[in-house]
Amino acid sequence: MLWDVPMTLPPTGRRPLSPGSRAGLGAALVLLALVAAIDLADGGEAHYVGLLAAAPFLAAAFAGWRIVLAVGVVSTVVGGFFAAYGGRPTLAGIVNVVGILVATGIAAGVAVIRQRQLDQIAELSRLASVAQAAVLRPLGPRVGSIAVAGRYISATAAADIGGDLYEALDTPYGVRIIIGDVRGKGLDAVRLASIVLGSYRHVAYERADLRAIVADLDKAVARSVGDEDFVTAALLEERGGTLTIVNCGHPAPLLLRRGQVIALEPPAPAPPLGFMPVARPRVERLEPGDRLLLFTDGLGEARRDGEFFPTADRAWRLLGHGTVADGLASLETALVEWVRGRLDDDIALVLLEYTGADTGSAAPLPSWEYGAAGS
């Protein structure tokens, strides 16, 4: 699928200073002003000029090398002024000015190295984000008789990417959705998430029973990870208004119906993928307008001052109105406000709304509900 991305030309002229550069420049100028004021109060003697050598290093902690050189030039001029104060430079004043010049050169080198490292980190983060975006394809806005929206919330702008995953497919057996969470973070987690999703996107069209899909995914995980790695997952299937859920160690989906919020816990617990789960399905009849919230455990772990975000208590007010995309946007806003912008883990969210049976669908009904094999 291709997206048309509008291209914008960069603005002409000088680019504004970044917040870091402004902070470094401001701190260095404050130090220059303080040293100059102290020396003037001390009669203009160059007793404290040596402190000006710290100004370029202070700028190098935040700003680029150009800002560092500018601060160094100003420091040298100020130092030279006090060294020559009274008409005759002293040896100590000359030594201090030379020290400022040397410090400026060293600080500029430090700023160059720091900027290169930051550029490398930014490039790796960009590549990792691209890889994760390739794994998590956009959802919706509609799959079969289900309105669907997905949202990925990163813990911080600089956080490691995680292995949260989701997908929604319109298959010959009805609409099938998966949400999962890979143990760990980073590229290894994204790699395992891609393996799970790749396998799911194939077998979801081939297997009539969700439990067979679980078995296939479990084998894919077991072949790809170590003994301590695993993937929690919940698989959902909607066929003609019948919802079937198979849960493998994942947080239970929340059903929003007529102002109530119901946790759809599994009939019996099952281990995550990778530990040979034998999961028992839970079957529910859906009503038009029912909504389902699927989420990873980052939502359950979000807390402020030790108090967890009250997902179940606030779910209906946040998610029960507007479109499913509007609902997820409201939930994210409330969540970020609750934790004051500090999340401990990434969160994947999927919100579904059952809009009524698709009369044109010939999807068979679940055999475990009606006891008709192959029906």
Side-chain angles (χ1 to χ4, degrees):
M1 182 176 180
L2 299 177
W3 290 271
D4 292 328
V5 180
M7 298 183 63
T8 56
L9 296 176
T12 58
R14 295 181 179 274
R15 291 182 298 176
L17 294 179
S18 66
S21 295
R22 289 198 297 269
L25 180 60
L29 292 179
V30 168
L31 177 61
L32 285 170
L34 287 175
V35 173
I38 292 173
D39 266 332
L40 287 174
D42 197 36
E45 298 293 335
H47 294 157
Y48 305 100
V49 167
L51 294 176
L52 295 176
F57 286 105
L58 190 59
F62 303 97
W65 64 270
R66 292 182 178 85
I67 299 295
V68 173
L69 287 181
V71 170
V73 169
V74 175
S75 299
T76 303
V77 171
V78 174
F81 170 79
F82 284 106
Y85 194 82
R88 185 175 181 180
T90 63
L91 178 60
I94 294 174
V95 170
N96 284 331
V97 171
V98 172
I100 295 172
L101 288 172
V102 173
T104 299
I106 296 174
V110 170
V112 170
I113 295 174
R114 181 185 62 82
Q115 188 59 51
R116 286 178 179 174
Q117 292 175 338
L118 291 176
D119 290 342
Q120 291 175 350
I121 294 173
E123 179 64 14
L124 289 175
S125 298
R126 188 189 68 82
L127 292 175
S129 298
V130 169
Q132 189 171 44
V135 172
L136 293 180
R137 301 186 303 196
L139 294 183
R142 187 177 182 85
V143 181
S145 58
I146 301 290
V148 58
R151 205 169 187 91
Y152 189 92
I153 305 174
S154 179
T156 65
D160 290 336
I161 55 175
D164 295 14
L165 58 97
Y166 50 72
E167 182 62 285
L169 303 171
D170 191 3
T171 76
Y173 305 100
V175 177
R176 286 177 164 175
I177 302 104
I178 185 173
I179 188 165
D181 191 357
V182 176
R183 177 183 179 271
K185 288 183 176 295
L187 289 177
D188 287 340
V190 174
R191 179 185 62 85
L192 183 53
S194 69
I195 291 173
V196 173
L197 285 176
S199 299
Y200 174 75
R201 287 164 181 159
H202 173 71
V203 299
Y205 290 94
E206 304 295 330
R207 305 298 189 196
D209 192 324
L210 283 182
R211 291 167 292 188
I213 297 178
V214 168
D216 289 337
L217 296 181
D218 178 68
K219 293 175 184 177
V221 171
R223 287 193 298 263
S224 307
V225 300
D227 294 336
E228 297 182 357
D229 294 321
F230 57 85
V231 181
T232 67
L235 286 77
L236 291 80
E237 175 185 277
E238 183 274 320
R239 300 188 191 182
T242 297
L243 177 71
T244 305
I245 306 172
V246 174
N247 197 320
C248 302
H250 198 78
L254 298 180
L255 172 63
L256 285 69
R257 174 181 290 168
R258 298 193 298 272
Q260 294 184 327
V261 179
I262 306 165
L264 300 181
E265 299 287 351
L273 300 175
F275 293 144
M276 296 183 291
V278 178
R280 292 175 54 192
R282 173 168 180 161
V283 179
E284 299 283 338
R285 291 295 299 182
L286 292 176
E287 301 176 2
D290 283 352
R291 290 191 173 187
L292 286 161
L293 175 65
L294 318 179
F295 55 93
T296 53
D297 59 5
L299 179 61
E301 295 171 357
R303 56 187 176 270
R304 176 185 66 192
D305 300 330
E307 185 178 359
F308 291 96
F309 180 73
T311 303
D313 293 339
R314 302 184 63 180
W316 177 257
R317 284 179 292 169
L318 295 171
L319 303 171
H321 309 281
T323 66
V324 287
D326 294 337
L328 288 187
S330 297
L331 177 58
E332 179 180 1
T333 300
L335 177 65
V336 172
E337 180 181 357
W338 176 271
V339 299
R340 301 187 182 101
R342 299 178 63 88
L343 289 168
D344 295 328
D345 194 7
D346 293 355
I347 303 171
L349 301 170
V350 177
L351 185 61
L352 314 169
E353 180 177 355
Y354 177 63
T355 57
D358 186 356
T359 57
S361 173
L365 294 176
S367 59
W368 52 78
E369 183 184 10
Y370 292 98
S375 62

